[in-house]
Amino acid sequence: MPGIVLVGAQWGDEGKGKITDLLADDFDYVVRFQGGNNAGHTVIHAGRTLKLHLIPSGIMYPHITPVIGNGCVIDPKVLLEEMDRLEADGISTHRLLVSCNAHLIMPYHRDLDGASERRLGKLEIGTTRRGIGPAYQDKASRMGLRVQDLQDPHIFVKKLEAALPEKNDILEKVYGLPTYTVEQIAEEYLAYAKRIKPHIAETSTVINRALRAGQWVLFEGAQGTLLDLDHGTYPFVTSSSPTAGGACTGTGVGPKAIDRVLGIAKAYITRVGSGPFPTELHDETGELLTRVGGEYGTTTGRQRRCGWYDAVIVRYAVQVNGLTDLAITKLDVLSGLKTIKVCVAYEHDGRRYNDLPCHQSIFHHARPIYEELPGWDEDISGCRTFEELPKAARDYITFLEDLAEVPISIIAVGPSREQTIMRRWEGRM
Ligand code: GDP
Ligand code: IMO
Ligand code: MG
């Protein structure tokens, strides 16, 4: 009964899309459990680069049923555009299932996301402005509209009539923005509904039935551990639960359905948007990582902030996700560096912190304590076994593994599927 959760172990963009695609052969279902189109997962499939925002990365495989779980927030316009793009590329989307309980991103959510960021000014979170936060806010305050409401125009309009006046007040009176009429939104959304209806399902039942029948389900996380609403660097986080527990609440399976939890981490670390980042590099090494790693956001195109690998963060990710395995991606990007630093602890006010400090402002001002390891010059993008890697690269991986205290089972040495070392990952027999 393998239910396997895949999560980001840093601040997102760790290469979750690539690893999901890599493992997809073994799975019958690939399920997104949180987030929305703030995600940007890159998959290189049959020579083509696909950027998926909302649709699970398994969509290319005819044997896989892709599922968008109840924990996600769905912008129906974006969903249909993404489906159309895939269809135009010859990738069928007819198997896609969308949870009836997932919440809808409404036009006013997008407006409010942008407006609240503008109002915060220098204090902005740096959101993707896709309406994610405001949609989850309405879910928590029980003012949200759900995918199932698209099935009944009468109910959709009733719920919208209840929610919209307050939103219009905020748009107009707080932010001086244009308002909406019920008719305007209902017309737009009920047109989307016609196309989305065939995909709506009670996906918790579908997934549980599949697991009981011995089928393999991959729960594909978006964002990353430090962007988790509860466990991340609050308030510089997203509004959902990208950690492994989110796979249960975000799909409706029990914790016993999860057999393995795979965390994805880059061989260095990046973050998009604001917030503390102890190992951030503001020098030419940072620029090199940005350039060689192609560190520009998949969703917003923003330049990602780059820094040395932070072992405190990954150890924390091991803990809060119960990681059983790690995949280290983008090891190839480090080729050519004379030495490579790894943050093993922080220092603040004369005190050493081996774990994440409880107080956010200590994390803000923490100075990383580094260990420096020898680099390697060889191009490693053609290596397919651990033994083929130069000794310094093997030592680097072993060092990270000792610090994380979980096996590094997969190592990625390039963006394509083949550029991967399967070290300790035995698939479906
Ligand atoms: P995700 O959001 O976690 O799926 O990651 P993104 O797709 O946003 O960003 C990861 C980027 O790194 C993408 O452009 C991938 O094609 C690329 N990538 C993934 N693994 C590797 C790797 O091992 N080496 C290199 N050079 N690029 C990689
Ligand atoms: P994937 O799945 C990296 C960041 C935003 C911002 C914060 C809140 O591709 O790894 P939001 O729009 O979610 O309210 O923004 O979270 N963020 C991501 N950073 N990768 C992502 O997704 C992200 N999704 C959101 O930049 O700092
Ligand atoms: Mg991404």
Side-chain angles (χ1 to χ4, degrees):
M1 192 195 68
I4 297 183
V5 176
L6 182 153
V7 290
Q10 297 162 326
W11 275 296
D13 302 324
E14 299 91 347
K16 297 177 294 293
K18 165 178 163 150
I19 304 295
T20 299
D21 177 62
L22 175 75
L23 303 179
D25 275 347
D26 281 342
F27 287 88
D28 303 293
Y29 289 78
V30 177
V31 186
R32 277 278 308 268
F33 55 89
Q34 45 68 234
N37 59 308
N38 46 350
H41 296 179
T42 314
V43 176
I44 301 181
H45 187 79
R48 276 178 309 181
T49 301
L50 296 171
K51 295 189 186 297
L52 296 161
H53 299 287
L54 195 49
I55 294 182
S57 298
I59 186 79
M60 281 79 60
Y61 296 89
H63 72 277
I64 285 178
T65 304
V67 180
I68 302 179
N70 58 275
C72 296
V73 285
I74 296 176
D75 187 327
K77 181 168 186 278
V78 173
L79 176 65
L80 292 173
E81 281 169 2
E82 196 160 318
M83 288 169 73
D84 286 343
R85 253 198 320 276
L86 288 166
E87 291 283 347
D89 268 345
I91 297 164
S92 168
T93 58
H94 79 273
R95 299 171 325 280
L96 178 71
L97 298 180
V98 181
S99 167
C100 52
N101 292 335
H103 278 246
L104 293 171
I105 296 180
M106 307 298 285
Y108 45 80
H109 291 142
R110 286 192 299 265
D111 296 347
L112 292 170
D113 197 354
S116 104
E117 285 283 274
R118 278 194 295 279
R119 172 166 283 218
L120 282 168
K122 280 207 325 231
L123 299 176
E124 67 162 18
I125 292 161
T127 73
T128 58
R129 302 195 177 199
R130 300 297 192 263
I132 306 294
Y136 279 113
Q137 228 172 306
D138 274 0
K139 173 179 177 176
S141 64
R142 294 155 295 179
M143 289 286 276
L145 276 82
R146 295 188 291 174
V147 166
Q148 59 181 277
D149 299 325
L150 292 171
Q151 290 172 313
D152 184 332
H154 178 68
I155 288 180
F156 184 89
V157 167
K158 268 191 106 134
K159 292 199 172 173
L160 187 57
E161 279 170 349
L164 192 59
E166 188 199 23
K167 299 297 162 195
N168 276 341
D169 270 358
I170 299 172
L171 285 171
E172 189 178 16
K173 295 178 185 154
V174 178
Y175 295 113
L177 289 173
T179 56
Y180 292 91
T181 63
V182 168
E183 295 70 34
Q184 210 178 352
I185 297 179
E187 188 185 302
E188 181 188 347
Y189 274 57
L190 292 172
Y192 301 142
K194 286 199 182 65
R195 288 191 56 200
I196 293 176
K197 264 187 203 168
H199 298 277
I200 302 176
E202 211 302 285
T203 51
S204 159
T205 305
V206 174
I207 299 164
N208 278 290
R209 194 177 293 144
L211 286 164
R212 276 200 306 277
Q215 293 190 292
W216 279 40
V217 179
L218 181 65
F219 298 89
E220 179 189 10
Q223 289 82 48
T225 301
L226 287 206
L227 289 173
D228 187 281
L229 182 59
D230 287 87
H231 303 290
T233 44
Y234 190 90
F236 302 102
V237 293
T238 190
S239 302
S240 67
S241 301
T243 47
C248 292
T249 50
T251 64
V253 303
K256 282 168 79 178
I258 313 296
D259 300 284
R260 213 162 168 180
V261 186
L262 172 64
I264 319 293
K266 278 180 197 174
Y268 47 101
I269 188 166
T270 63
R271 122 165 260 180
V272 208
S274 323
F277 185 170
T279 65
E280 183 168 16
L281 289 164
H282 297 283
D283 57 8
E284 61 279 12
T285 310
E287 283 164 28
L288 185 117
L289 294 176
T290 304
R291 193 177 67 252
V292 179
E295 296 298 352
Y296 293 91
T298 310
T299 298
T300 55
R302 289 177 291 176
Q303 185 172 328
R304 296 175 183 150
R305 301 156 64 193
C306 294
W308 294 119
Y309 183 92
D310 187 330
V312 182
I313 284 176
V314 174
R315 212 166 32 230
Y316 177 72
V318 170
Q319 175 184 308
V320 298
N321 294 295
L323 297 186
T324 58
D325 301 81
L326 261 178
I328 296 290
T329 61
K330 302 192 112 169
L331 188 63
D332 54 302
V333 175
L334 299 182
S335 288
L337 291 171
K338 273 218 156 19
T339 59
I340 302 167
K341 289 186 186 172
V342 173
C343 168
V344 294
Y346 308 126
E347 189 273 331
H348 179 72
D349 242 356
R351 187 174 153 195
R352 182 185 168 107
Y353 292 85
N354 292 319
D355 298 300
L356 280 198
C358 166
H359 205 291
Q360 179 84 10
S361 59
I362 297 179
F363 188 62
H364 254 283
H365 298 108
R367 192 182 59 79
I369 299 174
Y370 288 119
E371 297 254 352
E372 200 157 357
L373 281 82
W376 60 90
D377 277 329
E378 293 88 336
D379 173 0
I380 60 168
S381 60
C383 296
R384 297 296 174 267
T385 64
F386 189 63
E387 291 65 37
E388 284 173 61
L389 288 172
K391 178 165 184 318
R394 277 179 296 166
D395 289 348
Y396 183 65
I397 291 292
T398 311
F399 187 67
L400 303 191
E401 189 166 59
D402 289 346
L403 290 168
E405 296 180 19
V406 290
I408 294 178
S409 305
I410 300 173
I411 301 162
V413 292
S416 75
R417 205 176 142 76
E418 307 74 51
Q419 290 174 304
T420 315
I421 296 170
M422 296 305 253
R423 193 160 163 242
R424 290 185 188 145
W425 189 273
E426 60 303 325
R428 197 168 182 166
M429 296 299 166

